[in-house]
Structures are given as structure tokens and as C-alpha cells.
């Protein structure tokens, strides 16, 4: 008997079902017009008390917290009223992050390392948050939060050594470039596996609360990663136990080569995902360093006063490719970065300081030159420890280090055997330095 046709179940009075496949508005070669992007006026969003229940300010997950207006003025209830010195420090850290990115991007193109990821256009997300958090609050970053390390004072040379996986790399070449891990700066190991840091942050925050500590946790992921199961598991545990944690979703419009619609951006905001979990949700202008600071400070106060977690969506734009392995001209219009309506975060903070009479273009140009020279000098020192392809930078027996707290007997046996064989062969790289 012939098989039944797939269309046999169609009912004559109904139209056939259709599957919706998200499609970005602009592809390579298209003219760009972001007129449909809803950008509320700066200062329009209300600022609730940090003790309010999330259901009472659900509207903030759909609007946008903005502080800096088009004239560079800080306006509205979310204005954190920062001192000029704090603003200058934030501007310097943003500019330093950009200079560091540019130098390391160039190093990768020169074959000195295998891989790099820039945060161009997203510097406010990291620097604004780092300025608002306590220095010992534990951060669980994704791979575009190098600004947090820079803001916390991590030596540039240490970061570069890790990127080069050279003799000075404290991780002994066991991590991909830019996958930093810094206990000194309360910076948890970056993982290339997307969103694993979310449940880790919740677990750490729960431990901090159960011990009666005062430190909170903050974690970051991209908007595409919110489609991962780890994201939803983390929010479930966080809301059940009121974990003192801040969830940052960096909505930079593109997840590798797929646009944000594949993670649900066409249906709602990413901050709105907090509502179903009973979590406080804020949607923030991610190119406004003051808005990022204010939202983080507000969320940190909620966490420290046992009001539970907060999810912050940072509405921003990835100006460069996903990484040095990516070519964004293959999937998006070349006009998108310059047409992005929220502008450049560094320029916006600079203009705010100028409007206050606390900065000028000459100071900014001099600072850019100073930071470029600082990064160049740090690179020169780091490269004395080696670069990609210039031999084996770590003794072979370090393969066994940092894996187990107590090395199992069979690995100790293998290590001893390797050392003996290397010693007999006269090859020095097996020996510890």
C-alpha cells in the first residue's frame, strides 16, 4: 500500500502552518537604517527602591536605563553623580582596554599568538561594572571582559604572557589565549564553553551567603548564550535561594555569525527573561558608562541586602568580528558599526567630562598617546618570554602541574619516567626551571 502523503492531514478550511526563521535586517551590501530601534530619552526610566519586589518594576525590563543625553549631560534619577576623578579613571580604563585590544589584535595578525577577541564598542560594559563593584567581589566573566581585569589593576604584561602562552604564563600554556584566570583580582577562569560561568557564579554566591560573607558575585554572557540550558538552570537556583549574584547579558546583536533573533530578540528583550523567574530585570544602554555603573551599583545593593539576584541586559553593539577567526563582512552590512544609534562609549564619556569642564580634546589625545606607549612597552617586555612558534616555552613536566590537588600515584610514576627519559636524552626542557 502506498505511504500516506505528508500533506494528507491538511484541513481544507485552514491555511498550512509556516515556520518562522529569523533573518537579520541587514546583510552584506545593504544600506543600514536603525530607525526602528527604540531608544528612549536619557533620564526617562524610573529608579525603584532596591527593596522593591521585581514584579513592581517589570517595565524596566522593556524600557532602557540611560543617563547620558545627546549633549553629554548626565540626567535623570539613575545619574550616579560620580566625581570627576572617578569619571576620568573610568575613561582612562576604557581607553586603555581599547589600546590593549588593538595591540594584541595586531600581534595575532603578525603570527605572535593564535587567537584574540576584542571588546571594541563594549568597553563600558566591563569598566562601568568594575567601577561599581567592590574590588573583592567575585567575577565570572565571558571572553570579552578583559576590561574588568584592567580596571582592577592586573599588570598588562601578565595578561600578555597568557595570550602568548610563553615562559611567563602563570597558567603554563594550559588555557587558550585570553582565557585569563586571576585569583589576585577575584577573576574566575574564563571558559570557552558558553555560559558555564553562570551556574558557577550562582554556586559561589550561594556559598558566600551560607558562610555569612559580604562578597557578591557577578557574571557575564552574550545574548546568544541565553539560549543555553546553563543560563536557565542558573536563574532557577538564583531565584530559589536568593543568591547574591548579578547576571549580565551583553546584547551586542551578534552571537558569532548568527544575529540576536536566533536567541529570541525578535519576541522580547533579554532583560524580560528575568520576569518569569521572579528576578529583578533591567535593560540598560550598554554604551553609556554611567548607566552601566548605576545599574550595577543598584543591583549590588540588592544583592548585599539579601534582596536576591538581578539580570542586566546591556544593549550594545559588537563593532568588530567575534574573534580574529571571524570575518563579519560575510554576514552583516559593513555600515552597521558606524550607524549604531548609541554611539561610541569612549567618545560619550569623554564628551561628558568635556561638558563638565573637567577634560578637553588635547588631554584626551595626550592620554591616548601615553596609553599606546604603555601597552607597547608592556608588549616588548612580555615578548622577551617568547611568542607563538618560537620553541617550547614550558618545561614538559609542567604538564602534570595544576591538574590535581594531590597527584595520583600513576601520574607521579609517569612524570618520573618522563623526567628520566628526558634526562638520558639530554633534552633540557623536561627539567623544572
Amino acid at each position: 500500500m502506498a505511504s500516506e502523503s505528508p500533506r494528507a492531514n491538511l484541513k481544507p478550511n485552514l491555511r498550512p502552518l509556516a515556520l518562522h526563521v529569523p533573518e537579520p535586517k541587514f546583510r552584506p551590501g545593504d544600506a543600514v537604517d536603525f530607525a526602528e530601534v527604540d531608544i528612549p530619552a536619557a533620564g526617562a526610566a524610573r529608579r525603584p527602591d532596591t527593596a522593591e519586589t521585581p514584579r513592581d518594576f517589570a517595565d524596566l525590563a522593556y524600557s532602557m536605563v540611560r543617563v547620558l543625553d545627546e549633549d553629554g549631560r548626565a540626567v535623570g534619577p539613575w545619574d550616579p553623580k560620580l566625581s570627576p576623578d572617578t569619571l576620568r579613571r573610568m575613561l582612562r580604563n576604557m581607553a586603555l582596554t581599547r589600546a590593549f585590544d588593538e595591540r594584541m589584535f595586531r600581534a595575532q595578525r603578525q603570527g605572535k599568538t593564535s587567537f584574540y577577541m576584542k571588546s571594541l564598542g563594549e568597553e563600558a560594559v566591563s569598566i562601568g561594572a568594575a567601577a561599581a563593584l567592590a574590588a573583592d567581589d567575585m567575577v565570572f566573566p565571558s571572553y570579552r571582559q578583559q576590561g574588568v581585569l584592567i580596571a582592577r589593576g592586573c599588570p598588562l604584561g601578565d595578561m600578555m604572557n597568557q595570550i602568548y602562552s610563553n615562559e611567563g604564563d602563570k597558567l603554563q600554556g594550559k588555557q587558550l589565549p585570553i582565557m585569563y584566570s586571576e585569583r589576585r583580582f577575584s577573576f574566575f577562569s574564563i571558559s570557552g564553553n558558553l555560559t558555564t560561568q553562570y551556574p558557577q557564579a550562582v554556586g559561589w554566591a550561594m556559598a558566600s551567603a551560607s558562610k555569612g560573607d559580604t562578597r557578591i558575585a557577578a557574571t557575564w554572557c552574550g545574548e546568544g548564550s541565553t539560549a543555553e540550558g546553563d543560563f536557565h538552570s542558573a536563574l532557577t537556583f538564583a531565584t530559589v535561594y536568593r543568591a547574591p549574584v548579578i547576571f549580565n547579558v551583553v546584547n551586542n546583536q551578534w552571537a558569532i555569525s548568527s544575529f540576536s533573533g536566533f536567541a529570541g530578540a525578535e519576541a522580547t528583550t533579554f532583560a524580560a527573561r528575568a520576569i518569569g523567574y521572579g528576578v529583578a530585570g533591567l535593560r540598560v544602554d550598554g554604551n553609556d558608562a554611567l548607566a552601566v555603573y548605576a545599574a550595577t551599583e543598584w543591583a549590588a545593593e540588592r544583592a548585599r541586602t539579601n534582596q536576591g539576584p538581578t539580570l542586566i541586559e546591556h544593549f550594545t553593539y559588537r563593532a568588530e568580528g567575534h574573534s580574529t577567526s571571524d570575518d563579519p563582512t560575510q554576514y552583516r552590512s559593513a555600515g552597521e558599526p558606524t550607524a549604531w544609534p548609541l554611539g561610541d562609549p569612549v567618545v560619550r564619556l569623554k564628551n561628558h567630562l568635556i561638558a563638565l569642564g573637567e577634560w578637553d580634546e588635547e588631554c584626551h589625545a595626550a592620554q591616548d598617546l601615553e596609553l599606546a606607549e604603555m601597552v607597547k612597552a608592556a608588549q616588548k617586555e612580555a615578548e622577551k618570554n617568547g611568542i607563538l612558534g618560537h620553541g617550547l616555552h614550558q618545561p614538559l613536566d609542567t604538564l602534570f602541574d595544576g591538574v590535581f590537588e594531590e597527584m595520583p600515584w600513576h601520574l607521579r610514576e609517569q612524570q618520573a619516567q618522563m623526567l628520566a627519559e628526558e634526562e638520558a636524552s639530554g633534552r633540557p626542557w623536561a627539567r623544572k626551571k
Side-chain angles (χ1 to χ4, degrees), residues 76-83 290:
W78 285 92
D79 176 12
K81 295 181 170 51
L82 300 176
S83 70
L290 270 64

Side-chain angles (χ1 to χ4, degrees), residues 402-421:
V403 180
F404 296 96
E405 185 176 3
E406 293 185 15
M407 194 186 304
W409 66 269
H410 65 285
L411 290 184
R412 289 199 303 270
E413 214 173 67
Q414 291 176 27
Q415 183 184 40
Q417 181 181 359
M418 185 197 73
L419 287 168
E421 291 177 356

Side-chain angles (χ1 to χ4, degrees), residues 59-321:
D59 56 301
L60 294 177
Y62 297 97
S63 56
M64 190 181 297
V65 173
R66 303 185 68 219
V67 174
L68 292 175
D69 67 11
E70 285 67 26
D71 297 321
R73 298 174 303 173
V75 297
W78 285 92
D79 176 12
K81 295 181 170 51
L82 300 176
S83 70
D85 285 344
T86 299
L87 293 170
R88 278 189 288 265
R89 184 168 62 251
M90 289 169 62
L91 179 64
R92 181 180 179 84
N93 286 331
M94 289 167 67
L96 179 55
T97 301
R98 186 166 291 189
F100 181 86
D101 278 353
E102 185 56 39
R103 176 65 58 169
M104 291 295 95
F105 181 90
R106 197 180 313 164
Q108 192 277 336
R109 290 297 190 241
Q110 294 168 345
K112 295 178 178 179
T113 187
S114 60
F115 183 78
Y116 194 73
M117 302 180 80
K118 297 174 75 172
S119 60
L120 183 65
E122 301 177 36
E123 294 91 351
V125 172
S126 294
I127 301 303
L133 293 168
D136 62 349
D137 286 336
M138 194 68 180
V139 298
F140 293 77
S142 67
Y143 36 58
R144 227 179 292 275
Q145 274 72 61
Q146 55 267 49
V148 174
L149 265 185
I150 288 173
R152 288 188 166 182
C154 183
L156 301 183
D158 288 356
M159 298 172 68
M160 291 174 176
N161 287 334
Q162 195 281 326
I163 291 167
Y164 290 137
S165 297
N166 60 23
E167 291 182 35
D169 177 14
K170 292 186 293 183
L171 303 184
Q172 300 176 315
K174 293 184 174 72
Q175 266 281 31
L176 286 170
I178 63 90
M179 303 289 182
Y180 313 105
S181 178
E182 274 289 356
R183 181 186 290 250
R184 295 175 298 171
F185 302 102
S186 299
F187 191 95
F188 196 80
S189 302
I190 295 175
S191 171
N193 297 319
L194 299 180
T195 329
T196 56
Q197 66 272 23
Y198 258 55
Q200 291 165 351
V202 173
W204 189 95
M206 289 170 61
S208 183
S210 67
K211 292 188 298 184
D213 203 347
T214 57
R215 299 168 68 195
I216 66 172
T219 185
W220 289 257
C221 75
E223 85 285 343
S225 299
T226 63
E228 297 283 338
D230 281 343
F231 174 86
H232 299 279
S233 296
L235 263 71
T236 297
F237 273 83
T239 190
V240 169
Y241 295 100
R242 293 186 187 175
V245 60
I246 302 172
F247 298 112
N248 295 281
V249 175
V250 185
N251 179 9
N252 63 16
Q253 315 305 312
W254 291 94
I256 307 183
S257 59
S258 61
F259 90 115
S260 58
F262 283 102
E266 291 182 340
T268 186
T269 68
F270 291 98
R273 298 198 170 181
I275 295 173
Y277 289 97
V279 170
L282 301 176
R283 190 163 176 258
V284 172
D285 178 349
N287 287 27
D288 179 347
L290 270 64
V292 173
Y293 180 101
T296 305
E297 182 183 47
W298 183 89
E301 183 178 334
R302 279 184 64 84
R304 289 190 218 283
T305 54
N306 296 310
Q307 302 301 317
T310 300
L311 187 153
I312 303 174
E313 175 190 348
H314 303 269
F315 194 67
T316 182
Y317 187 83
R318 170 163 61 78
E320 293 268 2

